[in-house]
Amino acid sequence: MSKLLLKNIGTIVSGNIENPILEGDAVYVEDGKIAKVGKLADFGELSCDSVVDCNGITLIPGLIDSHCHTILGDYTSRQNQAGFLESELHGGVTTIISAGEVHLKGRPKDPAGTKALAILAAKSFQNFRPGGAKVQGGSVILEKGLTKDDFAEMAREGVRAVGEIGLGSVKEPAEAKVMVQWAKEFGMTVMMHTGGTSIPGSSTITAEMVKETDPDIASHVNGGPTSVSYGEMEKLVKESDVALEIVHCGNPLMSCRTVDLCVEENVLHRIIIGNDAPSGTGVVPLGILRVICHLASLTNVTAAQAIAMASGNTAKVHKLDTGRIEPGLAADLVLIDTPMGSVGSDALSAIEIGDLPGVSMIFVDGEMVVAKSRNTPPVATKPVVLQ
């Protein structure tokens, strides 16, 4: 694979919420992995196939959508739309995680069919990157009759997550908890619906039910689309260590209240960001960026911290080799800047006044997949490919 140098970077946002801004002006990529981060003057002699002059704009990790209801291919029957995943890439999202293929027409709900769908979706997205974006598909929905051997087989075949508990026939914590333990034993990350019902057949789920079931993620604590109460959210923050997901297709007030409480409790590392689309709200290509802007402009977090919630935090809970700008990780990188017309002086200040940044170049595994976003406003300053 090629060797890439990004130089003259204005700000490097790390994706690590404990240290969100890095010192340096350059990133060197080799064989699809980040090899060096820091000052170009300290890199020494480099061999480069491609060099990009970033012209002083901001570099961030590729964003991760922690909550997408994929089916198969780049199509959603929920909104009868094709190309929605590739369009999300143009919003800076380089990794998309399925929360369960629940919108498949005629979705099988017996154990054999449920297992087969999860394996099929996982394997198909291993071979298909819409526009270049990575998709972790095949999050299994818990249905009655699944066995420990089924979880072992799914894990062997590439299924890496349990979709939202509550969307299938397994709803009660006592029954779900057994399957959750099996899933975790085989390395899967477990999500659980929280709040009011979202689709026919789903359930209203409380904080006590989440605590008893013991998932890794409390999905859409700000609503999918209906939020838990503030008291229920407070229990999840203070009485558990579950990851807390904020989604675009939810309650905007509760998203702010959740984040501000997490600031007070010093648990920002637990917040992750998703779209929860496609849904009745629609397809939202810029949903992750919009949540970042919403939180950075209306709560007590910085733009760099909000970006970490949509990158490094999510990567950690899903055990991904991306989401942070550090040596050894996948070179999934996005160049962003102040959008034309904004009073922000750079991308981060624009985000903190609520303006969507302009997305310019996007790299996945060190390869450029987008040279100019078709969905965000144009950047004030353009990077230049030198070779």
Side-chain angles (χ1 to χ4, degrees), residues 62-97:
L63 303 176
I64 302 171
D65 181 353
S66 68
H67 195 126
C68 183
H69 288 294
T70 58
I71 305 178
L72 296 171
D74 198 352
Y75 172 75
T76 167
S77 61
R78 186 71 168 88
Q79 292 293 340
N80 195 28
Q81 183 170 334
F84 77 103
L85 296 172
E86 190 256 350
S87 195
E88 188 168 0
L89 173 70
H90 282 256
V93 175
T94 57
T95 299
I96 296 164
I97 298 171

Side-chain angles (χ1 to χ4, degrees), residues 1-4 28-35 47 49 134 321 328-332 364-367:
M1 297 181 71
S2 63
K3 298 175 182 178
L4 167 70
Y28 180 62
V29 175
E30 194 168 10
D31 296 330
K33 303 289 187 182
I34 298 168
S47 170
D49 298 301
K134 301 171 179 177
D321 72 336
L329 296 184
D332 301 339
V364 175
D365 291 333
E367 299 293 328

